[in-house]
Amino acid sequence: MEMNPESHVPVHKTESKDQLVDAGRGDIGACGWVILIISALFAAITFPLSIWFCVKIIKEYERAVVFRLGRIISGKAKGPGMMFVLPCTDTFIKVDLRVISFAIPPQEVLTKDSVTTTVDGVVYYKIENAIKSVGNVNDVHLATAQLAQTTLRNILGTQTLSSILSNREEIAHNIQSILDNATHQWGVNVDRVEMRDVRLPVQMQRAMAAEAEAVREARAKVVAAEGEMNASRALKEASMVICESPAALQLRYLQTLNTIATENNSTIIFPIPIDLLQGVVKK
């Protein structure tokens, strides 16, 4: 029978990355049990002096990953409260479960439209699985910070400058999703990513300011042209009304004189046609 070559791949590759560290209760061997018994006898003989070395206090927001002869014991992190460790055989590492924040240093990024910009941000995360954070990565905080910087540069390198300035929330959400998926095997949960500042070169700022000023001037000219067009239409309608009633022109003339006399104290001169004066003189 022909065997599918892909049937052997899932045996190793389908194992979840969450199980890179086996926290089960493995056998420490006969030599390990001998060392463990000797350590327990030493702690009993030196009691109560050994109590200061065997009893440890874990705070409410901390968990302790205990190693016994190099193996993680009890299958889970211990704490909070008091725990007992054996001298010489047991070691432990405290893990802080509170939300941790760090600032992403300013990253100089070349955008998709070939614009150089400097972007920084803030990442908020917390450790959900203490055993993974200790056993699967050397320094979980440094690894998360380095991955955040790399992800920020990779994501912004595929965006244009206008999209970076207008879609900050969407870009931050994409970065948060990528970080959360990548750090899941480290026992880390990325809660939030924020882009704090986007700094542009001085020449680019001047060019954008000139462009914005030109756009505003163009809009102002369009608005003025629309106003002139509407005013001309209104004057046309007014002229048609005045043509229908010649007396309306005289009334409008008197109203204009009244407005001038009210606003400014000035002398108003009425021009009289010379032909009219000649007729009076002849009479």
Side-chain angles (χ1 to χ4, degrees), residues 5-173:
E6 296 180 356
S7 60
H8 297 283
V9 177
V11 174
H12 303 285
K13 292 189 176 181
T14 57
E15 291 183 357
S16 175
K17 293 182 180 180
D18 301 344
Q19 298 179 359
L20 293 179
V21 172
D22 186 6
R25 300 176 181 177
D27 188 9
I28 60 177
C31 183
W33 281 108
V34 172
I35 297 175
L36 190 63
I37 293 173
I38 294 174
S39 178
L41 290 176
F42 177 77
I45 292 172
T46 58
F47 185 84
L49 183 61
S50 62
I51 196 70
W52 301 103
F53 302 94
C54 297
V55 176
K56 304 296 180 181
I57 303 298
I58 306 300
K59 297 179 181 179
E60 183 68 29
Y61 56 84
E62 293 178 336
R63 296 295 183 270
V65 181
V66 182
F67 294 87
R68 175 165 295 169
L69 297 177
R71 292 180 175 271
I72 298 177
I73 64 174
S74 72
K76 63 179 181 179
K78 291 188 176 182
M82 183 176 63
M83 72 173 187
F84 182 82
V85 295
L86 292 175
C88 303
T89 60
D90 293 353
T91 58
F92 69 95
I93 299 176
K94 289 184 180 180
V95 179
D96 196 334
L97 301 183
R98 293 176 293 182
V99 175
I100 301 173
S101 65
F102 67 89
I104 301 177
Q107 303 293 312
E108 189 172 353
V109 180
L110 182 64
T111 61
K112 188 177 180 180
D113 50 354
S114 301
V115 177
T116 302
T117 180
T118 304
V119 184
D120 59 356
V122 183
V123 178
Y124 300 88
Y125 71 97
K126 63 181 179 180
I127 297 176
E128 290 188 337
N129 193 313
I131 292 179
K132 294 180 185 178
S133 66
V134 173
N136 291 351
V137 62
N138 183 23
D139 189 340
V140 64
H141 304 293
L142 179 61
T144 304
Q146 295 291 338
L147 182 61
Q149 296 180 27
T150 305
T151 305
L152 178 65
R153 295 175 65 91
N154 293 338
I155 293 297
L156 296 183
T158 61
Q159 303 290 329
T160 60
L161 179 61
S162 59
S163 63
I164 293 175
L165 296 176
S166 59
N167 299 326
R168 287 192 179 187
E169 294 184 359
E170 183 179 355
I171 295 174
H173 180 70

Side-chain angles (χ1 to χ4, degrees), residues 205-219:
Q205 294 179 8
R206 293 176 180 174
M208 294 180 66
E211 181 182 0
E213 184 177 359
V215 171
R216 287 194 297 268
E217 290 180 356
R219 290 179 180 177

